[in-house]
Amino acid sequence: IPAQGDPGRSATLHLALNQACNWAGLLRESMAANDVALRSIAQVDAFDRDYLGFDPEGWMLGMRARTLIRLLQLNEARACLQQGLDREVVNWDPVIRQIAYQRFVELAWCQRDVAMAQQYATLSTQLAQSHPSPYMKILALWTAGLAALVAWDFGQAAHHFSDALALIQNVSIAADIETEILVRMAECQYLSGHTEQALATAMESAA
């Protein structure tokens, strides 16, 4: 992707590349694309911001934190997430804020921090109640399930994951996170001793 000419457009395209590489498990390539976006994200023009419909800086920080978590660079991930929440724009973009809450719970899973997981899962649920939409409800259920998993409450985790997956099927949205929820469900089933169920769910997530 050429960097010259329109650095803001290049930043937007590199964020899309960042997300694609992350989904593909190409974490270092994902971070490299995010690094390019970081240099000129402030130059994304009003047209592209309106077209996206959300805050590109918030998207960038959320994707950066996600990649850092998967690279186990946890201190950097936490600082990145806090930077995102400290930005004033996040107050009027509830989806970006809720994604940050979900990332904090992912971070808590890596650190086995039950209190932090519960704190941000509660914030996610409250935000979804304040801004009711199917997508935000799915995010809240996913986050609550992961928080329960951090606490090793496998029954509650499976319940939240099942509700999230059912809602995805019913409203035909959030397909981008369905695979991740299935992976967490498989992990929950495995940890609770249901090995055959876990294998079936893992196979479904890879289909």
Side-chain angles (χ1 to χ4, degrees):
I1 303 172
Q4 66 274 18
D6 188 342
R9 180 67 55 83
S10 177
T12 303
L13 292 173
H14 275 89
L15 279 180
L17 179 62
N18 172 197
Q19 184 161 313
C21 288
N22 199 292
W23 281 346
L26 302 172
L27 299 181
R28 299 195 182 282
E29 292 84 351
S30 177
M31 183 58 70
N34 194 282
D35 286 341
V36 173
L38 178 64
R39 292 196 288 268
S40 52
I41 192 69
Q43 298 181 58
V44 176
D45 63 24
F47 177 85
D48 281 353
R49 290 174 185 271
D50 289 343
Y51 180 80
L52 289 171
F54 53 80
D55 172 43
E57 286 91 344
W59 179 27
M60 180 202 68
L61 289 168
M63 287 303 304
R64 190 173 188 84
R66 171 189 167 107
T67 306
L68 287 167
I69 289 169
R70 282 156 174 73
L71 289 169
L72 295 180
Q73 297 178 25
L74 303 183
N75 290 334
E76 294 91 334
R78 187 180 190 122
C80 185
L81 287 169
Q82 193 59 55
Q83 180 184 351
L85 288 182
D86 288 345
R87 298 181 67 251
E88 183 178 353
V89 69
V90 89
N91 292 322
W92 55 260
D93 196 333
V95 173
I96 293 294
R97 176 173 283 272
Q98 196 179 31
I99 289 171
Y101 291 157
Q102 192 277 333
R103 300 283 191 262
F104 266 113
V105 178
E106 282 196 22
L107 181 62
W109 166 251
C110 294
Q111 298 177 327
R112 298 298 187 265
D113 189 331
V114 175
M116 183 168 76
Q118 187 56 56
Q119 174 190 353
Y120 285 102
T122 298
L123 289 171
S124 177
T125 298
Q126 292 172 345
L127 191 62
Q129 291 169 346
S130 300
H131 302 273
S133 75
Y135 189 82
M136 293 192 69
K137 185 174 182 180
I138 290 165
L139 280 174
L141 287 167
W142 177 24
T143 304
L146 184 54
L149 197 57
V150 176
W152 285 57
D153 186 344
F154 303 127
Q156 193 67 16
H159 174 73
H160 288 311
F161 292 146
S162 294
D163 284 352
L165 291 167
L167 187 54
I168 288 172
Q169 292 298 320
N170 287 340
V171 299
S172 300
I173 62 169
D176 55 315
I177 60 177
E178 182 177 16
T179 298
E180 293 207 45
I181 298 173
L182 284 168
V183 168
R184 293 300 187 182
M185 175 68 92
E187 191 169 19
C188 177
Q189 292 165 339
Y190 176 77
L191 290 171
S192 59
H194 299 95
T195 308
E196 291 186 4
Q197 280 184 306
L199 180 58
T201 303
M203 294 295 290
E204 182 183 353
S205 73

